[in-house]
Amino acid sequence: MTSRSSSFSAHSQRRPTLPQRLHSRRLSTLSNAELGQNGAPTGNVEHEITEEIEEIKRYEDFTTIDWVQDAAREQVRRRTRQKENAGFFEHGGGLGWRHKMWESYDAGQAWIVVTLVGAAIGLNAGFLNIVTEWLSDIKLGHCTTAFYLNENFCCWGAENGCPEWHRWSSIWPVNFLLYFLFSLIFSLTSASLVKAFAPYAAGSGISEIKCIIAGFVMKGFLGFWTLLIKSICLPLAIASGLSVGKEGPSVHYAVCTGNVISRFFDKYKRNAAKTREILSASAAAGVAVAFGSPIGGVLFSLEEMSSYFPLKTMWRSYFCALVATAVLAAMNPFRTGQLVMFQVRIDMTESMEILFLECEGSHDYDGLCDAKNRWSMVLSLAFATIMRTFLVVISYGCKVPAGIFVPSMAIGASFGRMVGILVQALHETFPKSRFFSGCMPDVPCITPGTYAFLGAGAALSGIMHITVSVVVIMFELTGALTYILPTMIVVGTTKAITTRFAKGGIADRMIWFNGFPFLDTKEEHTFHVSVSSVMTHSSSLSLLPATGLSLRSLEGLLAKSPYSGFPVVEDRISKVLLGYIGRTELRYAIDRTKREGLVSPQAKCLFASGNSSSAATTPATAPAPNPAVTFDAIASSSGTQLVDFSRFVDPTPLAVHPRLPLETVMELFKKMGPRVILVEYRGKLMGLVTVKDCLKYQFKVEAQGNGRHESREDEAAGEGRDEWLWRRIRGVGERVGDLIGRISRGRIELRATGEGSERLLGGGGGDPRDERESIPGSQPGGILDGTEDDDGEGLELRER
């Protein structure tokens, strides 16, 4: 195979046959920089070009990382480094020990990075806990001995306050007004800083981080300014009294910390796969410092955040979470030995702490344990559950750092405590019932605090659609082995119900709502279509012929085309696939050509060298009239009319057969992570497919109701059950309508009359839900071909 950087001339080389071209294109996936044939530069020039292109790609917003190419580039770096190190100790003499130390440092660089990241996350978490606690208490009063102390530290050791802590006023309306003003100032300041300096600091950030770890590029989302503003505004948002938590934002600022620190190391600056490992480890550390649960953090990163989680990433995640938790424990921000904020006087966490307590001894806990106030407490808890649900919905949409972990747990705790009180009342009323036959005498059988604890775990599992990590987090919060089995049962039941009636957790729904190109590895689909039904056909693509395209035409094509890459074909008629070139690589090649200023705009561009075996072994006998020019020979070849771009072309792109099932192609995207997959048949380009194409088809099919998630037999059975249920509902409605008509003596008529009544009431034996308008362009069989021009609102991925 001839090097892509070698010269090419159609006049001096015999045109290879089609079988020779197809065979040579599949011989190897190695870049020509590794082969180094025909005297092509294999050292600094090729490395410099690769690094320059990677630097450009770092600043491309809303693009996706091609993990296949990233892995191939890393293999090239390793082989180059091995060649450079070959024979070093024989020729290096006394400098060999320095090189050995450098190799040891390079090998242990990952552990150095995760240690620094974990320590920084722990320090930041401790600082935020202290600031949040002080801001929450400053709304009520101040410490006369030291203004920077909160009420707990000011009155350390005192149970019911102390003289050193002063309220702002002795008049309660004034205190209420100041409390309101402080809350307003905190929330307004947080929202203003987010809007002015870092809009990405708003919200939780978990959904975006999932996409970033999967390969989606969002410039600035994990940057320094986002880290700074998130760390400043998170305590303000929590102290303002909004129904938001810090656990989701903790993951965001932790991942920001990992990204910022890793950029100081060249290994992570140029390798996206290694950066992904640090981001996964940082996410685990963020959950660890939020809940004081290092193992739960690792499981959360595995279960929810990462689509690729090898064993070495798990070890580094655990070590990072361990370091972060150890640093937080050493800081001891609450001076109680606790790592979490459930012991801090903040509205939601304080209420959760009280709801988790058991009624033992003489403690009443604000009337929670008073049997005389049982029914009023049940009504109060029910009202609190409803109101907090409403407030969480409102607060979570505010443009401030906002998490939903603790708010959802608070909702579940209040509901669980209410259920526990009701069950306790039933036990006292019917102590001999068989439901309570396992209760031992003289031992509390029903403990409402346990119900509150289980309700908190169930709510967290339901809102996030996670299971194992919730059980471990709740266990590490309490340290009680007796709660593990009930928690597992409750979480398993919650998972089953939410899977049946909901589609994904809150993070998955936010990904769908924002239109991010993300394929969830937890989902399974059965569409019964091939990839040809979803692909973008070659007739709609911008194809680059191997020869004959002028530099000016190429620039015009690049300016008009919205695609992120271009297939290279032998010619636009035969469409024989030769390779694929990315938009960034092509733009870089053109800019470098123009920067030299030695090539005419009418120069012809070459995207494929002579790759046949005869061309590789038979040298040219006479110089070509217009020899091709490579970038390394531009300075010495002024006035030439051919420019070789073949070194930037991927000669072996990932290609599949058009009859390959769509489910298999989606698995390729999930597990291998290519940016694009080409579709070819016998060497001829048929089209290409991207993640967005798969998602658009999936959304359209799901919206039309023909998702084919089950077999045809199960689907037929499901349609039969739906029809039976509809007939029962219609019968009940008719009987209720007749009853109301008789009672009102005909003055109230609920039955539809006149034109269309048969359709409204399901007359004719049909299901009125079948009367919905189908998506334009759909096929009669109900399966879309993925090429429709008219897209329904909310189905298209948002243009980036």
Side-chain angles (χ1 to χ4, degrees):
M1 189 189 302
T2 308
S3 175
R4 281 184 298 197
S5 59
S6 61
S7 300
F8 173 82
S9 175
H11 300 282
S12 60
Q13 298 178 350
R14 182 173 60 88
R15 187 180 187 85
T17 62
L18 176 60
Q20 290 175 328
R21 290 194 300 273
L22 296 179
H23 174 71
S24 62
R25 186 168 65 83
R26 291 173 171 81
L27 285 178
S28 173
T29 60
L30 298 178
S31 66
N32 294 290
E34 299 177 73
L35 300 178
Q37 299 175 2
N38 297 338
T42 61
N44 296 332
V45 175
E46 192 73 21
H47 179 73
E48 177 186 355
I49 291 175
T50 302
E51 295 300 325
E52 288 180 1
I53 293 177
E54 286 302 305
E55 187 69 18
I56 295 174
K57 286 185 175 182
R58 281 184 55 197
Y59 297 97
E60 289 183 337
D61 204 6
F62 296 109
T63 58
T64 54
I65 297 174
D66 194 322
W67 296 112
V68 176
Q69 291 187 2
D70 185 78
R73 284 190 294 267
E74 180 60 20
Q75 291 295 331
V76 172
R77 295 190 186 102
R78 290 182 179 178
R79 292 192 180 97
T80 304
R81 189 161 56 248
Q82 290 175 357
K83 292 179 181 178
E84 293 175 352
N85 295 339
F88 180 85
F89 292 100
E90 289 77 6
H91 300 87
L95 297 179
W97 64 273
R98 296 183 181 179
H99 182 72
K100 191 172 183 63
M101 290 185 61
W102 172 257
E103 283 188 338
S104 300
Y105 164 74
D106 186 71
Q109 199 173 115
W111 298 102
I112 297 175
V113 172
V114 295
T115 302
L116 295 176
V117 170
I121 293 172
L123 290 172
N124 195 15
F127 166 77
L128 294 181
N129 289 339
I130 295 172
V131 173
T132 304
E133 187 179 3
W134 181 80
L135 289 175
S136 299
D137 285 346
I138 201 65
K139 298 184 298 182
L140 303 174
H142 66 284
C143 184
T144 56
T145 56
F147 187 77
Y148 56 86
L149 294 179
N150 61 1
E151 185 176 1
N152 285 338
F153 286 169
C154 184
C155 303
W156 189 257
E159 294 185 358
N160 297 320
C162 62
E164 290 79 9
W165 180 262
H166 282 190
R167 297 284 179 175
W168 290 112
S169 174
S170 59
I171 306 175
W172 73 265
V174 176
N175 287 331
F176 177 79
L177 179 61
L178 291 176
Y179 185 94
F180 174 78
L181 291 177
F182 272 116
S183 300
L184 183 62
I185 292 173
F186 290 163
S187 58
L188 181 61
T189 303
S190 179
S192 301
L193 291 176
V194 168
K195 181 180 179 181
F197 297 100
Y200 280 150
S204 172
I206 290 181
S207 57
E208 291 84 355
I209 294 173
K210 287 183 63 175
C211 298
I212 291 174
I213 293 178
F216 189 53
V217 179
M218 298 182 66
K219 179 182 175 182
F221 191 85
L222 301 179
F224 174 77
W225 276 106
T226 303
L227 171 62
L228 180 63
I229 298 301
K230 194 95 174 184
S231 301
I232 294 175
C233 297
L234 178 59
L236 293 172
I238 296 175
S240 67
L242 292 173
S243 294
V244 298
K246 76 178 185 68
E247 285 68 25
S250 296
V251 176
H252 190 183
Y253 74 67
V255 176
C256 289
T257 303
N259 180 71
V260 171
I261 292 180
S262 64
R263 289 302 177 185
F264 291 100
F265 297 83
D266 291 336
K267 177 185 289 188
Y268 297 95
K269 187 177 181 179
R270 65 174 183 261
N271 192 326
K274 293 187 177 298
T275 303
R276 175 170 60 175
E277 296 178 3
I278 298 299
L279 299 185
S280 299
S282 302
V287 176
V289 296
F291 288 104
S293 173
I295 301 178
V298 175
L299 292 177
F300 178 83
S301 181
L302 169 63
E303 186 176 5
E304 178 66 13
M305 300 300 298
S306 303
S307 55
Y308 178 75
F309 204 83
L311 183 61
K312 64 177 182 179
T313 303
M314 184 185 70
W315 279 111
R316 290 167 183 171
S317 299
Y318 173 74
F319 186 75
C320 187
L322 179 63
V323 172
T325 308
V327 171
L328 181 60
M331 291 184 65
N332 194 13
F334 310 129
R335 296 299 185 268
T336 60
Q338 299 291 335
L339 299 181
V340 295
M341 298 181 67
F342 297 113
Q343 302 295 329
V344 185
R345 297 177 56 84
I346 304 175
D347 295 338
M348 276 188 298
T349 51
E350 183 185 11
S351 64
M352 286 177 59
E353 177 191 2
I354 296 175
L355 292 173
F356 287 167
L357 295 175
E358 301 295 349
C359 296
E360 298 177 353
S362 59
H363 293 284
D364 190 23
Y365 305 121
D366 298 329
L368 193 64
C369 298
D370 190 357
K372 298 179 180 179
N373 299 329
R374 175 173 294 168
W375 299 112
S376 62
M377 186 58 63
V378 168
L379 295 176
S380 176
L381 289 173
F383 179 75
T385 302
I386 297 173
M387 286 301 300
R388 190 167 294 282
T389 302
F390 173 76
L391 294 176
V392 167
V393 172
I394 299 298
S395 301
Y396 191 70
C398 297
K399 293 303 180 181
V400 296
I404 202 170
F405 281 44
V406 165
S408 62
M409 292 176 67
I411 295 173
S414 59
F415 181 79
R417 186 80 185 201
M418 179 188 69
V419 174
I421 293 175
L422 292 175
V423 176
Q424 189 179 44
L426 287 175
H427 175 248
E428 294 177 359
T429 306
F430 307 101
K432 302 300 182 180
S433 174
R434 62 175 182 175
F435 293 104
F436 307 109
S437 59
C439 295
M440 299 179 61
D442 301 329
V443 176
C445 180
I446 305 300
T447 54
T450 304
Y451 284 78
F453 176 81
L454 297 177
L460 178 58
S461 175
I463 198 69
M464 294 299 299
H465 269 221
I466 52 179
T467 54
V468 180
S469 54
V470 172
V471 175
V472 176
I473 287 173
M474 301 303 288
F475 166 69
E476 290 185 286
L477 279 176
T478 60
L481 293 173
T482 56
Y483 291 152
I484 290 183
L485 183 59
T487 305
M488 293 176 64
I489 296 174
V490 168
V491 169
T493 305
T494 303
K495 174 65 175 178
I497 294 175
T498 54
T499 302
R500 177 63 181 86
F501 294 101
K503 182 176 176 58
I506 183 66
D508 301 319
R509 302 314 299 166
M510 290 300 296
I511 291 174
W512 178 87
F513 179 78
N514 291 320
F516 295 141
F518 177 77
L519 286 174
D520 194 350
T521 56
K522 298 187 293 290
E523 291 185 357
E524 295 182 0
H525 301 281
T526 305
F527 295 109
H528 297 291
V529 296
S530 63
V531 66
S532 60
S533 302
V534 181
M535 69 180 185
T536 302
H537 293 275
S538 58
S539 58
S540 304
L541 299 175
S542 298
L543 307 180
L544 298 181
T547 59
L549 190 65
S550 66
L551 187 62
R552 176 174 296 174
S553 301
L554 182 61
E555 287 189 276
L557 178 65
L558 189 62
K560 296 178 181 179
S561 176
Y563 300 113
S564 60
F566 305 91
V568 178
V569 295
E570 181 180 346
D571 56 70
R572 291 173 175 170
I573 298 177
S574 65
K575 298 181 181 180
V576 175
L577 182 62
L578 301 179
Y580 185 84
I581 183 171
R583 187 183 189 91
T584 303
E585 288 82 356
L586 185 58
R587 182 75 266 173
Y588 171 81
I590 294 176
D591 290 342
R592 184 166 179 175
T593 303
K594 296 174 64 177
R595 187 166 61 247
E596 296 293 339
L598 300 175
V599 179
S600 169
Q602 301 300 327
K604 301 301 181 181
C605 302
L606 305 179
F607 292 97
S609 300
N611 290 334
S612 68
S613 58
S614 60
T617 57
T618 306
T621 57
N626 293 314
V629 57
T630 62
F631 291 118
D632 308 311
I634 283 181
S636 59
S637 305
S638 177
T640 57
Q641 297 299 315
L642 292 177
V643 181
D644 189 0
F645 289 137
S646 62
R647 77 187 312 169
F648 301 99
V649 177
D650 180 12
T652 55
L654 185 59
V656 298
H657 194 278
R659 295 180 182 176
L660 190 69
L662 177 60
E663 299 83 3
T664 306
V665 175
M666 295 176 72
E667 289 298 318
L668 290 176
F669 278 119
K670 293 176 183 179
K671 297 180 179 180
M672 297 186 64
R675 176 182 290 183
V676 62
I677 295 179
L678 302 180
V679 182
E680 66 169 351
Y681 179 67
R682 294 183 178 179
K684 181 179 179 181
L685 178 68
M686 306 300 295
L688 61 80
V689 61
T690 63
V691 173
K692 289 186 177 181
D693 295 328
C694 297
L695 288 175
K696 285 193 292 185
Y697 183 84
Q698 175 185 336
F699 293 160
K700 291 177 182 179
V701 169
E702 291 176 353
Q704 195 183 25
N706 294 324
R708 301 292 194 271
H709 294 285
E710 301 176 344
S711 64
R712 297 185 182 274
E713 293 78 6
D714 294 338
E715 185 180 357
E719 291 178 354
R721 289 193 299 268
D722 293 342
E723 185 176 355
W724 176 86
L725 180 61
W726 173 251
R727 287 198 301 267
R728 293 297 181 271
I729 294 175
R730 184 180 62 185
V732 172
E734 291 177 351
R735 286 194 293 271
V736 172
D738 294 338
L739 178 62
I740 294 178
R742 289 195 300 269
I743 295 176
S744 63
R745 297 181 180 179
R747 291 192 297 268
I748 301 177
E749 178 64 46
L750 298 183
R751 186 185 304 275
T753 57
E755 183 179 0
S757 61
E758 291 295 320
R759 180 180 63 84
L760 291 175
L761 289 178
D767 190 337
R769 294 171 296 177
D770 296 334
E771 300 294 332
R772 60 180 178 271
E773 182 180 358
S774 61
I775 299 177
S778 60
Q779 297 177 350
I783 296 296
L784 307 177
D785 60 7
T787 60
E788 293 78 19
D789 295 330
D790 191 359
D791 299 308
E793 182 180 0
L795 303 179
E796 279 285 359
L797 295 174
R798 189 159 61 184
E799 292 294 334
R800 293 297 185 183

